[in-house]
Amino acid sequence: MTERGQFPEGFLWGGATAANQCEGAYNLDGRGLANVDVVPIGPDREAIITGQKKMFSFEEGYFYPAKEAIDMYHHYKEDIALFAEMGFKTYRLSIAWTRIFPKGDEAEPNEAGLAFYEDLFKECHKYGIEPLVTITHFDCPMHLIREYGGWRNRHMLDFYVNLCRTLFTRYKGLVKYWLTFNEINMILHAPFLGAGICFEEGENQEQVKYQAAHHELVASAMATKIAHEIDPENKVGCMLAAGQYYPNTAHPRDYWVAMEEDRKSYFFIDVQARGKYPNYAKKQWERKGIEIEMTAEDLDLLKNYTVDFVSFSYYASRVATGDPEVRDLTAGNVFTSIKNPYLKSSEWGWQIDPLGLRITLNAIWDRYQKPMFIVENGLGAMDTPDENGYVADDYRIAYLEAHIQAMRDAIYQDGVDLLGYTTWGCIDLVSAGTGEMNKRYGFIYVDRDNDGHGSLKRSKKKSFYWYKDVIASNSASIK
């Protein structure tokens, strides 16, 4: 019997990473070039990830942090052993598409890539850790971007289905929790990362983004269908970059804009969880002259193959206003927002709102009535290690503790159905937004800086031992 201070029995505690932010080894064992490899650190990064500036290969004068990252490709056994020492029940990771299909459109996969992940999954199971695998965490083979234009092209469905069928078949019995696309709503904000899209001068960018979104949504439904056919034990989820919008004032205009902003994100999950396009999206397309090419078969797939659970990232709530004179903005997970005067901010300007996580959990639960999984949450901060690599990161412990308390309230006071919680960047890795290493989230410090210097030595932070106690007590250690 679970006590009030604990989470439900079987709750999946763990941590999360992404291949492009931790693996490195970008050109080893047959791996091909991907969009995530050619995004440099520095002032041009934002223009590239938003598709406004093209960079299809490495160029002089730039540093590309994903090339080596933290070299988990060669350190995964050491890293998984550290996760096991913390007591992880699950480890969320992603597949590098170009390790499996280097160009993306091959008929046969790269055996070296398949073997790497098979060994990694077996290493997880050795410690009783359940892999939670994101099929596409912003990865898109550069060959598919050059030749087909990324997800704007319907041919991507065939290539993605081939990837999924290969993964579901090879890893049957090793992986049962799958996510089809990471933060699928990022297509609207970072289309080069989200869908491999670079825009041509003068084209209707909204049209391109929503057509690509349709292709990804259909691909997700096809993946769900195949996953269930290959192994009925498979559970497939969608993944949303979440964070509820608050109206800036009680003015109805602000409330309306906040609702509209929420709909821009929930649009994707409405399709993946409910099985059809919402009327508000159709009306928006009509007003903007957007015509999405779709078939009756597409709509049938969306209707019949909805996801088993809804996963999401949560870093902060957001604020919206209908007043054009209000311009006091704050940073966020690619999303800019009106600054909330009632909240403190991280060193990167991300506002900290634990109650907002409870609000977001309730909003998603009320909307979909499907089990949920928080697969990213954490605090990016500048960590200062001592001579032994130890970091007294009480600020991170305070952040995570407050968010876990909010989760517990959502479960016990509100009745939401929450499957698990994986903190983001459980080991320090490259930031997706900025490309920095100094923006650290992990329980494990990695000796590497923004310029790629460092020994890559791993060392335990204070939060490592704190999280170990949280998992061992099933959160009872948090009062």
Side-chain angles (χ1 to χ4, degrees):
M1 187 72 177
T2 301
E3 297 180 7
R4 169 63 183 82
Q6 295 179 314
F7 274 62
E9 292 180 14
F11 189 81
L12 292 170
W13 295 98
T17 63
N20 65 86
Q21 292 168 255
C22 67
E23 281 184 6
Y26 78 100
N27 60 351
L28 296 185
D29 297 327
R31 184 186 183 279
L33 196 65
N35 59 334
V36 288
D37 301 323
V38 299
V39 182
I41 191 172
D44 289 334
R45 188 176 180 90
E46 182 177 355
I48 294 166
I49 66 175
T50 57
Q52 308 305 318
K53 177 181 172 66
K54 292 183 180 180
M55 189 171 284
F56 285 179
S57 59
F58 302 123
E59 298 181 11
E60 290 291 327
Y62 292 95
F63 174 62
Y64 298 89
K67 276 186 170 183
E68 297 181 17
I70 63 167
D71 194 27
M72 189 181 274
Y73 191 74
H74 295 109
H75 290 260
Y76 73 90
K77 290 188 177 182
E78 172 189 355
D79 295 338
I80 291 171
L82 287 167
F83 300 159
E85 186 178 340
M86 276 186 282
F88 278 21
K89 308 300 181 187
T90 188
Y91 168 42
R92 181 193 172 211
L93 67 149
S94 72
I95 298 288
W97 189 336
T98 54
R99 286 205 193 282
I100 311 303
F101 292 97
K103 293 170 64 178
D105 59 359
E106 298 96 337
E108 298 299 324
N110 172 34
E111 174 56 31
L114 287 171
F116 167 71
Y117 290 111
E118 181 174 339
D119 290 344
L120 192 157
F121 297 147
K122 287 180 177 177
E123 195 71 15
C124 287
H125 282 288
K126 185 171 81 173
Y127 297 104
I129 298 172
E130 189 74 53
L132 167 60
V133 177
T134 310
I135 298 167
T136 304
H137 194 123
F138 298 151
D139 290 67
C140 187
M142 282 307 306
H143 172 74
L144 299 184
I145 295 173
R146 290 194 191 96
E147 296 298 318
Y148 300 93
W151 279 96
R152 69 169 70 214
N153 193 314
R154 190 175 178 89
H155 284 296
M156 293 292 289
L157 291 169
D158 296 329
F159 308 139
Y160 183 80
V161 164
N162 193 29
L163 172 67
C164 291
R165 192 179 297 279
T166 300
L167 299 179
F168 298 150
T169 302
R170 178 64 172 256
Y171 304 129
K172 182 178 180 180
L174 287 174
V175 179
K176 71 175 182 179
Y177 291 104
W178 301 90
L179 304 180
T180 52
F181 291 93
N182 179 69
E183 294 182 330
I184 191 168
N185 51 321
M186 281 294 185
I187 290 178
L188 303 182
H189 305 274
F192 183 67
L193 285 185
I197 290 173
C198 291
F199 295 111
E200 304 299 331
E201 187 175 350
E203 73 177 330
N204 184 335
Q205 296 188 7
E206 292 290 293
Q207 170 75 42
V208 173
K209 287 189 283 190
Y210 278 106
Q211 186 65 62
H214 174 72
H215 292 151
E216 287 197 358
L217 291 167
V218 174
S220 178
M222 295 171 78
T224 305
K225 178 178 185 292
I226 295 167
H228 290 158
E229 288 172 350
I230 290 176
D231 187 353
E233 296 298 312
N234 279 332
K235 301 295 182 185
V236 182
C238 54
M239 204 295 212
L240 164 75
Q244 199 71 10
Y245 273 92
Y246 305 150
N248 190 48
T249 71
H251 196 298
R253 173 187 57 193
D254 286 356
Y255 190 93
W256 177 256
V257 173
M259 185 176 74
E260 285 190 311
E261 290 296 329
D262 280 329
R263 279 175 163 178
K264 289 178 183 178
S265 295
Y266 287 132
F267 151 79
F268 296 89
I269 314 304
D270 283 351
V271 178
Q272 291 175 292
R274 292 173 167 172
K276 63 180 181 179
Y277 284 106
N279 287 340
Y280 66 79
K282 297 175 184 177
K283 290 297 181 182
Q284 177 191 351
W285 293 341
E286 285 180 14
R287 292 193 300 272
K288 293 186 175 183
I290 295 172
E291 297 183 6
I292 306 300
E293 295 181 6
M294 60 180 73
T295 68
E297 183 183 6
D298 291 348
L299 298 178
D300 186 63
L301 283 165
L302 295 175
K303 178 181 179 181
N304 291 307
Y305 300 101
T306 56
V307 292
D308 301 307
F309 63 95
V310 176
S311 77
F312 63 93
S313 61
Y314 176 85
Y315 295 98
S317 57
R318 305 157 192 160
V319 178
T321 181
D323 184 352
E325 299 302 314
V326 177
R327 303 175 185 272
D328 189 11
L329 300 178
T330 186
N333 186 19
V334 177
F335 302 85
T336 56
S337 167
I338 303 300
K339 190 172 183 179
N340 190 329
Y342 302 102
L343 301 176
K344 295 180 180 180
S345 298
S346 74
E347 293 167 285
W348 272 264
W350 294 27
Q351 296 204 277
I352 300 170
D353 183 11
L355 181 57
L357 176 55
R358 181 180 177 183
I359 293 168
T360 300
L361 278 164
N362 275 275
I364 294 173
W365 175 249
D366 289 349
R367 194 175 185 101
Y368 302 118
Q369 296 288 296
K370 282 182 179 278
M372 293 178 291
F373 209 131
I374 300 170
V375 294
E376 290 186 29
N377 173 241
L379 177 69
M382 294 281 291
D383 290 341
T384 304
D386 65 15
E387 64 275 10
N388 299 313
Y390 179 78
V391 178
D393 55 342
D394 295 276
Y395 42 87
R396 180 169 293 111
I397 292 171
Y399 175 98
L400 294 172
E401 188 169 90
H403 285 75
I404 291 172
Q405 288 171 329
M407 290 156 48
R408 193 159 59 193
D409 289 342
I411 293 171
Y412 285 103
Q413 296 187 34
D414 309 327
V416 306
D417 185 357
L418 187 60
L419 298 173
Y421 174 68
T422 58
T423 65
W424 176 246
C426 48
I427 182 171
D428 291 346
L429 39 63
V430 175
S431 167
T434 66
E436 296 173 278
M437 270 298 304
N438 290 347
K439 185 182 183 185
R440 299 175 184 273
Y441 288 84
F443 304 114
I444 301 163
Y445 185 85
V446 179
D447 180 28
R448 189 171 177 85
D449 64 20
N450 286 351
D451 299 317
H453 302 132
S455 66
L456 295 175
K457 179 183 176 183
R458 275 71 162 151
S459 54
K460 304 168 190 176
K461 304 178 189 179
K462 184 176 182 179
S463 58
F464 180 101
Y465 303 99
W466 169 84
Y467 198 47
K468 181 178 181 179
D469 289 341
V470 170
I471 297 174
S473 68
N474 203 15
S475 90
S477 61
I478 297 177
K479 304 302 181 186

